């Protein structure tokens, strides 16, 4: 993998946007395809790795591990492991991660209001939205 130079114009522009825009700050931490799905699945409480993997069909093990590590590095997810065989690893939202509940809820409500053909399906799924 190529190393990213700190002095590149792209990195400077990204850094400026990151510092100037609160939405960019949030999207840098929770953006992408899989992170919001992982966070949503952890809103319901602590889950073991295999439970997360089952609850997110289509995600590969490699990508799940990468995304969990990034969320952990961003202090949004806490990984706990017990030194037993087989490994016992759980993931849960940190306090900072739990603070994203209203953000994720607002995103889900927006999908219901603006999801056109999928709005009815999204509305039904809101009944299963994890309670705070």
């Amino acid at each position: 993998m190529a190393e990213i130079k700190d002095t590149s114009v792209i990195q400077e522009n990204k850094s400026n946007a990151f510092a100037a825009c609160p939405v960019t700050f949030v999207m840098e931490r929770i953006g992408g395809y899989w992170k919001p799905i992982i966070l949503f699945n952890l809103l319901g409480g602590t889950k073991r790795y295999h439970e997360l993997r089952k609850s997110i069909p289509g995600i590969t093990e490699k990508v799940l591990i990468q995304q969990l590590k990034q969320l952990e590095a961003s202090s949004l997810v806490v990984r706990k492991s017990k030194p037993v065989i087989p490994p016992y690893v759980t993931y849960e939202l940190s306090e900072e991660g739990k603070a994203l509940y209203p953000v994720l809820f607002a995103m889900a409500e927006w999908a219901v209001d603006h999801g056109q053909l999928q709005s009815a399906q999204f509305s039904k799924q809101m009944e299963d939205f994890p309670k705070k």
Side-chain angles (χ1 to χ4, degrees), residues 1 11 49 56 62 71 76 87 90 109 115 129:
M1 183 181 235
Q11 289 303 313
Y49 175 82
I56 307 172
K62 177 185 175 188
L71 289 167
L76 298 176
T90 59
E109 284 184 320
F129 199 91

Side-chain angles (χ1 to χ4, degrees), residues 75-94:
S75 301
L76 298 176
V77 169
V78 176
R79 178 185 190 270
K80 294 181 181 176
S81 63
K82 296 179 183 175
V84 295
I85 296 177
Y88 189 90
V89 178
T90 59
Y91 294 90
E92 63 183 311
L93 292 177
S94 66

Side-chain angles (χ1 to χ4, degrees), residues 111-112 115-123:
V112 169
Q116 291 123 6
L117 297 175
Q118 294 169 303
S119 286
Q121 176 187 347
F122 293 154
S123 182

Side-chain angles (χ1 to χ4, degrees), residues 30 32-43 52 55-57 59 71 104:
I30 69 165
Y33 186 81
W34 297 109
K35 286 180 187 174
I37 297 169
I38 293 167
L39 292 168
F40 173 79
N41 276 279
L42 290 174
L43 282 175
L52 265 178
S55 67
I56 307 172
I59 193 169
L71 289 167
L104 295 168

Side-chain angles (χ1 to χ4, degrees), residues 5 7 22 47 62 64 73-74 76 81-83 88 103 125:
K5 294 194 291 187
T7 57
K47 291 198 177 185
K62 177 185 175 188
L64 180 57
S74 294
L76 298 176
S81 63
K82 296 179 183 175
Y88 189 90
V103 174
Q125 290 172 328

Side-chain angles (χ1 to χ4, degrees), residues 54-68:
K54 278 185 182 178
S55 67
I56 307 172
I59 193 169
T60 64
E61 283 193 45
K62 177 185 175 188
V63 171
L64 180 57
I65 291 167
Q66 287 174 339
Q67 298 295 288
L68 284 167

Side-chain angles (χ1 to χ4, degrees), residues 14-32 36 76 100 103 107:
K14 188 176 177 182
S15 181
N16 290 339
F18 183 75
C21 177
V23 174
T24 303
F25 175 81
V26 173
M27 293 309 296
E28 182 70 22
R29 295 182 73 195
I30 69 165
L76 298 176
L100 285 168
V103 174
M107 290 169 66

